[in-house]
Amino acid sequence: TDPIGSNQWRTKVILQLYVAARDGSDMVIIDKADMLDKRGRNELFALLQACGIPALVCMTMGAPGDVPKMTTGGKLAYWIENGATRTL
């Protein structure tokens, strides 16, 4: 199961996407996606793809290999460590 608070986080993200769709926002910024387990992150990315709203999703991961693959549909993943950024 997801950590305590993830249901509130999910509700906030769904509301954020709804508001963005209604007001025509160019994109959304979603932080703390590391609150979700692997299944939850996959569901988040499926939701974002279905909504079609560009998003910057931020999360803390233990290693670059833990980052969900973002190689299709114009998606990019970056690893930031010790002041250096690289594309995964």
Side-chain angles (χ1 to χ4, degrees):
T1 61
D2 290 336
I4 295 172
S6 67
N7 286 335
Q8 290 175 330
W9 183 90
R10 291 169 197 251
T11 302
K12 178 182 170 253
V13 168
I14 290 169
L15 182 59
Q16 183 179 0
L17 290 170
Y18 173 79
V19 170
R22 295 284 296 173
D23 74 7
S25 294
D26 291 330
M27 70 175 294
V28 295
I29 299 173
I30 299 171
D31 195 10
K32 300 183 182 179
D34 49 313
M35 177 176 286
L36 302 172
D37 61 12
K38 183 176 182 178
R39 178 179 171 196
R41 288 189 303 269
N42 288 339
E43 291 170 351
L44 170 63
F45 291 121
L47 174 64
L48 292 172
Q49 185 170 353
C51 288
I53 300 170
L56 171 63
V57 179
C58 305
M59 66 183 82
T60 302
M61 305 301 287
D66 297 337
V67 177
K69 302 298 181 239
M70 300 274 113
T71 57
T72 61
K75 298 174 185 80
L76 297 173
Y78 299 95
W79 184 260
I80 303 171
E81 185 174 21
N82 297 325
T85 303
R86 65 181 168 111
T87 304
L88 298 179

